[in-house]
Amino acid sequence: MEIRRGIPVSPGIAIGEAFVLDSEDSPITRRVIEEHGIRAELDRFSAACDQAIAEIFESVKKLPKSLHGEVAPIIESHAKILQDKSLQLQITSGIEKNRHNAEYEVSRVFRSFVKRLQATGNQMFENRVVDLLDIERRLIRNLLNEKRSEIATRGKDLIIIAHDLTPSQTLALDKEKVIGFATDAGGPTSHTAILAKAMEIPAVVGLESITSAISGGDVLIIDGTEGTIIVDPDEDTLKNYRALERNRLSYEQRITLELRDLPARTLDGHEVRLLANIEFPEEVKLALQHGASGIGLYRSEFLFLRPGPPPAEREHLEAYRKSLSLLGDRDLTVRTLDLGADKLESDGPTKEKNPFLGCRGIRLCLQRPDLFRPQLRALLRASAYGDIRIMFPMVSSLEEIRSARAVVEQIKHELRREGAPFNDHVKIGIMVEVPSAALLADILVRESDFFSIGTNDLVQYTMAVDRANERIAALFQPAAPAVLRLVKYVIEEGERSKKPVCMCGEMSGDVTYTLLLLGLGLKEFSMSPPSIADVKMVIRSVTMKEAREIAHKALTFTEAGKVVEFLRERTRKIIPEAF
Ligand code: PEP
Ligand code: MG
């Protein structure tokens, strides 16, 4: 039995069998193939190679005419490399002689070429190295896709072990079979962590080397509350964890049921709104079961993460109308596309060196009217059916709000001409998640109907801490005094202009910060549905006077750790079982 510690990102306990997903960035594991399995391994390699060549020719066909002359020869040269007989022979003889799995031999042969080219120190070979790594990745992806589909043939209760999972990979997991996951990489607010929480699957990230420590088929316990993973547990440990999970579930169910229909009102009568963050229309039901008063953040980019072309206006409209009909007269705030290389498997033309500082959020929306306009048309058309609000992500300047609003006005004009009904007064707000936006809150508030503070990104950009990097996860601190000053300022400016301010980052659903945010004057909290009951319990157990006094004191600390210590101590005094 072995215990490993990582970052807890989605609570609960899962007991199951490991299913190890290699990823293109992780070390490929070496497996020794049985004598009788060599033929099948050679066939796998040859199928992956054929598929890669077919994909290359397919992508050449799809190139716009203007790029054909320049780009097609580069892509086609990749196919030529794959067709090279001596290269194929090196890989197949490795499989035959060494009895290694195909991924391992592909990686070994390609990496040895790369090493040789790099050793020459010749700059001219730099592009060649990039090409070789690209081809290697394509081949391995094809080999692993085949392996991923093995999930379909496996039994239930699988725990996915991966180097990292992109949101699109997480979504592709079979939810009937996957009961938990653990990754080497990732931080507390990485998008995969957020998804795990929304899917109510226990997850631990940032385990650093879990993929090399675990083999497929190992029995595992994942404790997503404590952030531990237990490999090969003994009988007593299994029994204890099963009991722990039963207790946790019955506690959660009890408080959710008890509190669901009660208002989020302090002991002295101040009421706030608790809303839910969702990624799919189907989650509205879950949100309502947990007592959400509306949807404060619909991450619409997940509409774009399924395979196939980007969603058309009709598909957007269907999703928004479906959510509105499930919500009745409750409000739905839809964030326009916040896609960037951080949410995609970075590959091909979307690859950016620094995706978090790249073309994401409103920047991408403004550069890609082909994606943005159908979404806005659908949002406006949906506004005829319910209380829908439009929110722009990653705003960093007033110009961006103006440009985005101008597109909305053009579309309103079109819809009027077409005679399509819409709400002319639909509310348009922004995410405040870039420090420049927070610092300009007094100016941006004049052209926004509401603010929603996205602390996941606000912490990342204020502290210069990549939210998905496990090596610096300890530096990702929502309680950092610099962040708290920004949050306070945004809430105050909203209050001054009588514009609603919500918070939809993970900080909002973490009970450590409930008293602080309440005391700072936050009136709308949006969070993953399972957190609603816990936050409501804290709010219903305190007076506003007390919360203000706590917030005031918290702001006097000069270190994040001290703030957290103080807030936890005060919360524990009010609700002893809080932590
Ligand atoms: C945030 O940044 O806090 C936020 C809610 O947006 P996302 O996590 O989707 O980037
Ligand atoms: Mg964000």
Side-chain angles (χ1 to χ4, degrees):
M1 183 166 106
E2 188 193 343
I3 302 177
R4 294 200 164 221
R5 267 170 217 293
I7 305 165
V9 291
S10 179
I13 288 158
I15 302 175
E17 190 187 300
F19 186 92
V20 183
L21 273 187
D22 291 318
S23 104
E24 57 195 27
D25 296 323
S26 70
I28 299 294
T29 43
R30 184 178 58 176
R31 280 182 293 120
V32 177
I33 310 288
E34 299 279 346
E35 193 76 46
H36 61 80
I38 290 179
R39 187 65 260 157
E41 206 57 18
L42 290 170
D43 290 347
R44 281 182 71 224
F45 167 66
S46 144
C49 218
D50 291 348
Q51 192 185 336
I53 294 168
E55 282 168 7
I56 288 170
F57 286 120
E58 199 48 38
S59 63
V60 171
K61 267 197 234 150
K62 285 192 194 136
L63 276 179
K65 275 211 167 54
S66 56
L67 292 180
H68 220 274
E70 209 176 319
V71 180
I74 301 175
I75 306 182
E76 277 165 357
S77 74
H78 288 199
K80 286 208 185 88
I81 294 175
L82 282 166
Q83 284 160 335
D84 184 286
K85 289 277 175 263
S86 70
L87 174 104
Q88 290 190 0
L89 191 66
Q90 285 197 50
I91 295 171
T92 51
S93 62
I95 297 174
E96 275 172 319
K97 282 198 206 119
N98 307 330
R99 297 197 358 228
H100 284 153
N101 50 323
E103 297 86 337
Y104 182 76
E105 279 302 319
V106 165
S107 187
R108 190 182 65 80
V109 170
F110 272 86
R111 298 290 160 129
S112 77
F113 280 146
V114 165
K115 256 194 213 138
R116 262 184 272 155
L117 288 183
Q118 283 171 334
T120 64
N122 189 334
Q123 290 282 317
M124 269 173 44
F125 288 135
E126 237 172 53
N127 283 343
R128 209 67 191 149
V129 166
V130 173
D131 285 341
L132 285 173
L133 290 175
D134 206 38
I135 304 167
E136 179 209 4
R137 207 176 296 136
R138 190 187 282 280
L139 266 177
I140 287 181
R141 200 186 312 120
N142 287 342
L143 285 162
L144 293 178
N145 268 347
E146 187 189 311
K147 201 163 152 203
R148 270 179 202 142
S149 66
E150 277 176 25
I151 287 190
T153 61
R154 296 282 290 270
K156 282 192 167 204
D157 295 353
L158 298 180
I159 292 176
I160 300 291
I161 304 295
H163 174 68
D164 199 4
L165 286 168
T166 63
S168 48
Q169 284 172 323
T170 314
L171 288 176
L173 297 175
D174 182 345
K175 286 161 210 71
E176 296 283 301
K177 296 186 172 178
V178 175
I179 56 163
F181 65 75
T183 59
D184 292 335
T189 65
S190 55
H191 287 105
T192 301
I194 292 170
L195 268 182
K197 217 188 274 178
M199 289 155 70
E200 298 190 83
I201 293 181
V204 179
V205 301
L207 286 146
E208 291 185 0
S209 58
I210 198 75
T211 40
S212 45
I214 285 179
S215 313
D218 284 352
V219 174
L220 304 176
I221 299 176
I222 286 205
D223 183 340
T225 314
E226 293 297 320
T228 47
I229 171 157
I230 304 172
V231 189
D232 203 9
D234 55 37
E235 259 320 304
D236 281 350
T237 311
L238 279 169
K239 217 156 61 193
N240 287 345
Y241 272 89
R242 285 194 190 109
L244 258 178
E245 180 60 355
R246 268 197 306 276
N247 291 345
R248 191 193 71 86
L249 277 177
S250 73
Y251 172 77
E252 287 295 329
Q253 279 159 359
R254 187 169 54 75
I255 71 158
T256 303
L257 266 182
E258 265 173 25
L259 296 176
R260 191 182 59 197
D261 301 318
L262 297 176
R265 191 184 294 144
T266 60
L267 292 171
D268 51 352
H270 291 264
E271 196 162 323
V272 296
R273 300 186 73 219
L274 299 188
L275 305 152
N277 294 348
I278 60 164
E279 283 75 32
F280 303 97
E282 297 73 34
E283 286 174 277
V284 170
K285 282 191 206 131
L286 179 75
L288 297 180
Q289 278 161 18
H290 284 276
S293 323
I295 302 299
L297 169 65
Y298 176 178
R299 290 185 164 97
S300 71
E301 53 276 8
F302 286 89
L303 278 167
F304 293 75
L305 286 180
R306 45 117 186 88
E313 179 178 331
R314 185 177 28 84
E315 204 177 324
H316 279 290
L317 185 59
E318 241 166 58
Y320 307 147
R321 283 193 60 181
K322 181 166 179 197
S323 309
L324 283 171
S325 77
L326 292 169
L327 280 165
D329 52 10
R330 298 176 186 88
D331 50 326
L332 168 69
T333 299
V334 179
R335 178 174 74 184
T336 61
L337 173 66
D338 181 17
L339 211 53
D342 66 304
K343 288 196 185 82
L344 294 166
E345 280 164 82
S346 53
D347 192 14
T350 58
K351 187 164 178 156
E352 290 184 310
K353 278 225 173 92
N354 218 336
F356 278 122
L357 301 182
C359 189
R360 61 175 286 212
I362 193 67
R363 303 166 183 184
L364 182 74
C365 291
L366 292 172
Q367 282 189 20
R368 294 287 304 269
D370 58 317
L371 303 177
F372 193 34
R373 287 178 50 85
Q375 177 165 39
L376 285 178
R377 279 184 59 93
L379 285 167
L380 283 166
R381 287 175 60 195
S383 71
Y385 299 94
D387 187 356
I388 200 163
R389 300 161 191 198
I390 301 174
M391 178 156 76
F392 300 130
M394 279 289 295
V395 168
S396 56
S397 69
L398 183 62
E399 292 89 319
E400 283 168 337
I401 305 182
R402 289 189 171 158
S403 306
R405 274 187 170 271
V407 185
V408 174
E409 286 311 312
Q410 279 166 13
I411 291 174
K412 282 186 176 177
H413 187 64
E414 274 170 29
L415 293 175
R416 270 187 215 106
R417 256 199 343 243
E418 293 165 21
F422 67 92
N423 172 10
D424 205 6
H425 303 290
V426 65
K427 298 238 178 319
I428 298 180
I430 62 162
M431 295 275 302
V432 178
E433 50 185 345
V434 179
S436 63
L439 291 164
L440 287 181
D442 56 325
I443 294 170
L444 303 190
V445 77
R446 297 183 208 143
E447 305 197 20
S448 310
D449 297 323
F450 60 89
F451 282 158
S452 190
I453 307 175
T455 44
N456 307 338
D457 280 313
L458 190 61
V459 174
Q460 157 165 270
Y461 295 126
T462 306
M463 306 304 293
V465 174
D466 178 344
R467 60 193 267 189
N469 183 338
E470 68 286 358
R471 293 172 63 194
I472 44 169
L475 301 178
F476 187 95
Q477 292 166 327
V483 175
L484 297 186
R485 284 189 189 186
L486 293 176
V487 168
K488 175 172 182 280
Y489 181 61
V490 176
I491 296 173
E492 280 170 0
E493 287 307 313
E495 180 85 358
R496 210 190 311 278
S497 314
K498 309 226 171 337
K499 299 270 178 79
V501 177
C502 180
M503 177 180 283
C504 61
E506 294 300 289
M507 184 182 192
S508 162
D510 183 339
V511 287
T512 305
Y513 306 111
T514 308
L515 294 171
L516 166 73
L517 296 172
L518 190 67
L520 287 177
L522 188 73
K523 300 209 170 54
E524 295 187 6
F525 298 62
S526 192
M527 62 197 77
S528 112
S531 304
I532 292 177
D534 291 334
V535 170
K536 197 187 275 185
M537 185 144 81
V538 176
I539 291 169
R540 289 179 58 83
S541 313
V542 72
T543 62
M544 196 58 168
K545 187 166 171 286
E546 235 177 317
R548 283 198 193 109
E549 173 258 313
I550 290 169
H552 186 77
K553 172 94 183 167
L555 290 174
T556 62
F557 294 102
T558 48
E559 290 162 58
K562 293 274 185 324
V563 177
V564 169
E565 204 179 298
F566 167 71
L567 290 175
R568 292 204 164 159
E569 182 203 310
R570 293 302 298 259
T571 310
R572 228 179 276 121
K573 265 194 193 151
I574 296 165
I575 301 177
E577 66 274 29
F579 301 103

